[in-house]
């Protein structure tokens, strides 16, 4: 089963969460709601995730190197200022 980790779930409005959850369920994806505030917490809770849903968490080389299963990260917001795009390229992760 394809696993998705919403790593900033504490920053998502309930209505938005319900829509995301329903979309994932409709596609047969497993969604995990995480309240990670540090890189170590992300790794501990999302180490088996195929995809990340990110609001504000910084995603760079250090984090991606510790999440080898992750192949895509989607920003729930505008822009990618919290993404190190060179790290995404290095780790073959779609941003």
């Amino acid at each position: 089963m394809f696993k998705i980790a919403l790593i900033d779930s504490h920053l998502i409005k309930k209505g938005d969460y319900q829509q995301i959850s329903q979309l994932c369920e409709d596609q047969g994806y497993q969604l995990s709601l995480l309240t990670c505030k540090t890189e170590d917490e992300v790794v501990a809770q999302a180490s088996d995730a195929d995809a990340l849903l990110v609001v504000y968490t910084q995603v760079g080389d250090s984090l991606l190197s510790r999440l080898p299963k992750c192949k895509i990260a989607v920003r729930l917001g505008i822009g990618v200022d919290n993404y190190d795009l060179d790290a995404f390229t290095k780790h073959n992760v779609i941003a």
Side-chain angles (χ1 to χ4, degrees):
M1 176 174 286
F2 194 81
K3 296 181 180 182
I4 302 172
L6 174 51
I7 59 177
D8 295 318
S9 67
H10 59 289
L11 300 171
I12 302 293
K13 295 179 209 169
K14 185 176 181 178
D16 292 340
Y17 154 72
Q18 290 171 333
Q19 286 181 318
I20 294 167
S21 181
Q22 188 63 52
L23 286 169
C24 289
E25 183 180 320
D26 290 348
Q27 296 302 313
Y29 302 149
Q30 178 183 338
L31 177 65
S32 298
L33 300 176
L34 311 176
T35 55
C36 304
K37 295 185 179 173
T38 68
E39 184 175 301
D40 288 337
E41 289 176 345
V42 173
V43 172
Q45 297 178 47
S47 63
D48 64 343
D50 299 292
L52 300 177
L53 297 179
V54 181
V55 180
Y56 291 115
T57 299
Q58 296 294 314
V59 182
D61 187 55
S62 177
L63 180 59
L64 292 174
S65 68
R66 297 170 66 191
L67 297 173
K69 208 173 167 206
C70 181
K71 296 301 173 207
I72 186 168
V74 176
R75 169 82 193 273
L76 299 177
I78 298 171
V80 290
D81 56 316
N82 57 328
Y83 282 7
D84 176 349
L85 296 177
D86 290 332
F88 277 80
T89 299
K90 175 181 174 183
H91 294 282
N92 296 313
V93 176
I94 298 169

